[in-house]
Amino acid sequence: KQPKHLARFAGGPRKHMPKGLPFELKSYLELVELTGLCMRADKRGVISPINSPILDRLNIAPENWLKLTTQFTKVFHGAVGRPHKLDNYCASLEIKRRANYKQCERLLA
């Protein structure tokens, strides 16, 4: 059973989208499995199997996905998100310096 504090899987995007992640659990598990295959030591750097509809929907390039999943803590320090969301976050907390902005722009925009 999924813990209540985690966002639920809401299924594919549609007109009246319920709150939650815009994909199905099956698609997510497939993406996780493909990502794991790419990160195996004997397949270093292989990105070709990741042609997932989730990445297309999220508009994340496969190369960026691999970097996000293997080097996240090296690339980011602090808040992370799409640039416009990061702007909103910083404005709400009255933070003037937006750490990670360029990396978010490059990897998530």
Side-chain angles (χ1 to χ4, degrees), residues 2-21:
Q2 182 174 331
K4 290 183 180 184
H5 64 277
L6 295 178
R8 65 185 187 88
F9 293 96
R14 51 194 177 274
K15 189 174 183 177
H16 299 291
M17 188 69 186
K19 200 171 189 177
L21 301 172

Side-chain angles (χ1 to χ4, degrees), residues 1-88:
K1 194 171 186 182
Q2 182 174 331
K4 290 183 180 184
H5 64 277
L6 295 178
R8 65 185 187 88
F9 293 96
R14 51 194 177 274
K15 189 174 183 177
H16 299 291
M17 188 69 186
K19 200 171 189 177
L21 301 172
F23 39 84
E24 296 172 351
L25 175 61
K26 180 182 175 188
S27 299
Y28 172 74
L29 294 175
E30 179 183 306
L31 177 62
V32 170
E33 182 179 10
L34 291 172
T35 302
L37 291 173
C38 290
M39 292 168 40
R40 284 182 22 196
D42 61 337
K43 296 203 174 227
R44 190 170 186 271
V46 174
I47 193 69
S48 58
I50 296 189
N51 287 322
S52 175
I54 295 175
L55 292 180
D56 293 340
R57 241 180 313 199
L58 296 175
N59 198 26
I60 297 176
E63 303 80 31
N64 292 350
W65 177 252
L66 189 60
K67 185 163 194 148
L68 287 168
T69 56
T70 59
Q71 301 175 27
F72 192 88
T73 56
K74 291 179 185 175
V75 174
F76 296 110
H77 307 285
V80 177
R82 299 221 187 248
H84 69 281
K85 294 287 188 182
L86 202 54
D87 288 338
N88 295 344

